Amino acid sequence: MSPTFDLISQALRTKLQRDGSASLTDAEWHLLRVSQWVSACVDYSMTRTLADAPLSELLAVATGLDAMGATIAAEHLRSAVETLISVNDLGLGGERQAAIARVARDLELMVARSRAELEQIVIGFAFSQQDEALVA
């Protein structure tokens, strides 16, 4: 990850830990969720993330991607969530595990191919939010 991307992510995690969840703006939540998602894809920990995260949290990441202008990544993530929803019923444990592994690999590959672009989008969004705060 780029140093700027890491700095943004770390600053938001620090603010969240120090000041609590109510201290983050909607834009900061988008930045935090998306940066953590990108990091999980880059670190190849997406399988664990998909197994543990509520599907609503993954949809919130997609909303953040949309807000930042990363619509293709958002669509890809929403499609992944739809795949997970289809195997989320009782009795589909084996199918769910296979789907999680497949979806994780697909997301990791998608992010690997567009990592630089996604980092630039996140950084640009963060700076645009800072600019808006200075004007307000």
Side-chain angles (χ1 to χ4, degrees), residues 82-90 92-93 95-97 99-100:
E82 288 299 319
T83 298
L84 296 176
I85 288 171
S86 72
V87 293
N88 216 21
D89 291 331
L90 290 174
L92 297 176
E95 291 90 343
R96 183 172 191 273
Q97 291 304 320
I100 287 172

Side-chain angles (χ1 to χ4, degrees), residues 65-112:
L65 288 164
D66 276 332
M68 292 179 191
T71 55
I72 294 171
E75 290 171 11
H76 201 88
L77 183 54
R78 283 193 182 91
S79 176
V81 169
E82 288 299 319
T83 298
L84 296 176
I85 288 171
S86 72
V87 293
N88 216 21
D89 291 331
L90 290 174
L92 297 176
E95 291 90 343
R96 183 172 191 273
Q97 291 304 320
I100 287 172
R102 186 178 68 254
V103 165
R105 184 182 63 248
D106 290 347
L107 291 173
E108 289 165 352
L109 288 171
M110 187 269 303
V111 168

Side-chain angles (χ1 to χ4, degrees), residues 76 125 130 132-133:
H76 201 88
F125 184 78
Q130 181 183 20
E132 287 179 24

Side-chain angles (χ1 to χ4, degrees), residues 8 10 46 71 84 119 134:
I8 290 166
Q10 182 59 41
M46 187 50 56
T71 55
L84 296 176
E119 284 186 26
L134 291 174

Side-chain angles (χ1 to χ4, degrees), residues 25-77:
T25 65
D26 288 343
E28 288 171 328
W29 275 112
H30 291 323
L31 285 164
L32 182 61
R33 286 181 177 121
V34 169
S35 67
Q36 289 177 326
W37 176 75
V38 170
S39 293
C41 286
V42 169
D43 295 341
Y44 298 102
S45 61
M46 187 50 56
T47 300
R48 189 182 80 236
T49 299
L50 294 176
D52 294 343
L55 296 178
S56 60
E57 183 65 22
L58 297 172
L59 291 173
V61 172
T63 299
L65 288 164
D66 276 332
M68 292 179 191
T71 55
I72 294 171
E75 290 171 11
H76 201 88
L77 183 54

